[in-house]
Amino acid sequence: MTDPLIGKLLDRRYRLVALLGQGGMCAVYRAEDETKGGAVAIKVLPPKLAAQPEIAARFKREATTGRRVVHPNI
């Protein structure tokens, strides 16, 4: 089965290239940053879960926390 998100452009910048992994809440994709170049990881919350306010808030908190991490391997 083909993943319908592969090849999609998100935020007019990130092209999803491959599914890296999938867990209980989200899927993580390898993507190419078409603006700055280079590979990035994109975490995607399914619409069914995004519609639940508590889960969407948790997802946003995790994203905010993740942006604060500074390390050469990230």
Side-chain angles (χ1 to χ4, degrees):
M1 184 162 102
T2 308
D3 187 322
L5 293 181
I6 301 298
K8 295 286 184 182
L9 186 66
L10 302 180
D11 198 30
R12 294 181 293 168
R13 178 176 176 178
Y14 303 106
R15 176 91 45 202
L16 299 182
V17 177
L19 178 65
L20 296 175
Q22 196 163 354
M25 260 182 69
C26 302
V28 179
Y29 291 86
R30 183 171 63 84
E32 294 294 325
D33 184 335
E34 294 191 350
T35 301
K36 295 183 179 181
V40 297
I42 302 286
K43 194 172 185 181
V44 177
L45 185 64
K48 185 177 180 178
L49 293 177
Q52 298 178 34
E54 307 83 28
I55 292 177
R58 176 181 168 190
F59 186 79
K60 288 178 184 178
R61 281 193 309 273
E62 288 177 3
T64 299
T65 301
R67 283 192 298 263
R68 293 183 187 144
V69 177
V70 179
H71 190 278
N73 295 331
I74 296 178

